[in-house]
Amino acid sequence: MNGFDLGRHMAETGQEVERMLERLLPGIRGTESRLFEAMRYACLGGGKRLRPYLVMASSGLFGVGTHHALRVAAAIECVHCYSLVHDDLPAMDDDDFRRGRPTVHKAYDDATAILAGDALLTLAFEIVADPDTHEDPQVRVSLATALAKAAGAAGMVGGQMLDMLAEEEEFDIGAVTRLQRLKTGELFAFSCEAGAILGKSDPSRRNALRGYAHDMGLAFQIADDLLDVTGREEDLGKAVGKDAAAGKATFVSILGEERAREQAHLLADQAIRHLEIFDKRADPLRAVATFVVARRA
Ligand code: GRG
């Protein structure tokens, strides 16, 4: 990975994704412009753009055209932003700050936040299904199916249900692992598989990317749990200490800080080993696995 500058690479990709989102999000006009404004507020000008970066990095392994990859990158960011908007609502995590500014329901109102989230989710599927995303309809169907599975009841939404239940029920390490695999891991898996789908790769490469994503996703989540305990609000742009206050079982509450940190590093190493079948074009993905456990935000 000699000389690979992940920070610069992510920042450049983030700008390209921002421009694509600018184009794909509805312009602020018409009587319902409040909705369009809230959608743009939710998506533009913030976040690490990690999922879009994974789409671009996995696409790089298969020689996928930048325009096609960027459209899928924008679609996954729309799904991610919808999930953050809904997660922040009073009926869920009830958060006032996200990405260093008021959450969408604080800047607008609850109903507008619900509608903006709904519209972002559906926009993601509109983007993926558009022929401009890929000329082959079979590829578009595969993308839509994989995205639906990752975002829906068998993926992120199911994981969010488990997350709500974790406030009332005792979750052991196995249950917390499953919760996180669904809640955050499946969107990471989609992001990594997207390049393989766009590039019509063989199943073994797609499976290797799925294995990478799951281990990297868990490492990311353990780091997230650690940041909830040790991080600073000004770095994270959101409240900290919420899991402990809600009495929620997390990797850190079960394993303790030290073992959780060790586990995160083990998972990051394991994630990198899934990439052995790829050449140096997989260096961006290798660097991401290292980054997610070292990050401060
Ligand atoms: C409401 C259907 C529904 C789902 C919500 C993903 C999720 C499910 C909620 C997010 C809550 C949360 C803080 C989860 C911890 C891990 C996580 C997804 C953090 C946010 O992702 P980052 O760090 O955020 O990639 P940025 O802002 O950088 O994009």
Side-chain angles (χ1 to χ4, degrees):
M1 273 196 274
N2 276 349
F4 183 76
D5 185 345
L6 180 69
R8 187 175 59 80
H9 221 232
M10 278 184 76
E12 284 168 5
T13 306
Q15 283 168 10
E16 286 183 294
V17 172
E18 184 84 9
R19 282 194 288 275
M20 182 55 85
L21 282 166
E22 274 277 358
R23 278 176 50 188
L24 293 170
L25 285 161
I28 301 171
R29 68 179 83 83
T31 317
E32 69 279 36
S33 61
R34 183 178 174 81
L35 171 67
F36 305 148
E37 218 182 272
M39 290 167 76
R40 297 178 76 86
Y41 180 86
C43 282
L44 297 174
K48 295 181 285 299
R49 308 295 196 207
L50 184 53
R51 293 151 196 82
Y53 186 74
L54 292 170
V55 174
M56 301 310 291
S58 67
S59 296
L61 297 173
F62 303 101
V64 174
T66 306
H67 180 73
H68 291 165
L70 272 176
R71 286 182 61 93
V72 178
I76 191 69
E77 188 67 9
C78 287
V79 175
H80 172 57
C81 293
Y82 126 74
S83 81
L84 298 180
V85 172
H86 280 196
D87 185 66
D88 290 335
L89 283 164
M92 298 226 189
D93 250 16
D94 195 9
D95 274 305
D96 294 351
F97 281 93
R98 167 76 63 187
R99 294 177 165 176
R101 58 189 176 184
T103 45
V104 176
H105 68 276
K106 283 283 165 190
Y108 295 85
D109 54 72
D110 291 5
T112 305
I114 292 168
L115 293 174
D118 291 343
L120 286 171
L121 176 62
T122 41
L123 176 61
F125 284 94
E126 188 183 330
I127 296 168
V128 160
D130 192 299
D132 201 19
T133 296
H134 203 283
E135 59 283 1
D136 184 344
Q138 195 53 53
V139 168
R140 303 199 299 271
V141 169
S142 295
L143 285 170
T145 307
L147 182 55
K149 283 185 182 161
M156 182 179 71
V157 174
Q160 180 74 353
M161 186 75 246
L162 294 173
D163 194 73
M164 307 258 93
L165 294 170
E167 285 185 26
E168 291 140 30
E169 293 173 25
E170 287 275 306
F171 271 39
D172 62 13
I173 189 80
V176 171
T177 304
R178 178 161 179 268
L179 181 169
Q180 298 302 352
R181 264 195 200 282
L182 296 180
K183 192 176 97 167
T184 53
E186 288 299 329
L187 279 204
F188 281 133
F190 171 80
S191 307
C192 293
E193 285 180 75
I197 300 172
L198 284 163
K200 300 187 188 185
S201 126
D202 57 275
S204 65
R205 281 162 190 263
R206 184 168 165 180
N207 282 338
L209 287 167
R210 193 167 177 79
Y212 160 83
H214 273 141
D215 289 336
M216 184 276 292
L218 276 182
F220 171 95
Q221 188 57 53
I222 296 176
D224 209 72
D225 289 353
L226 283 162
L227 286 170
D228 194 55
V229 176
T230 60
R232 301 181 332 151
E233 289 193 6
E234 52 270 44
D235 293 332
L236 293 164
K238 62 176 184 180
V240 293
K242 292 209 64 176
D243 290 338
K248 242 187 233 177
T250 67
F251 289 111
V252 177
S253 72
I254 296 173
L255 298 174
E257 265 183 58
E258 203 181 313
R259 276 187 63 210
R261 212 175 293 282
E262 274 168 26
Q263 194 59 32
H265 282 98
L266 282 175
L267 283 160
D269 291 345
Q270 201 167 289
I272 291 170
R273 280 202 295 279
H274 284 289
L275 301 175
E276 274 165 6
I277 59 168
F278 297 106
D279 62 17
K280 67 176 178 49
R281 281 179 300 175
D283 280 356
L285 294 175
R286 295 184 180 101
V288 165
T290 306
F291 159 76
V292 294
V293 289
R295 70 198 172 96
R296 287 169 183 272

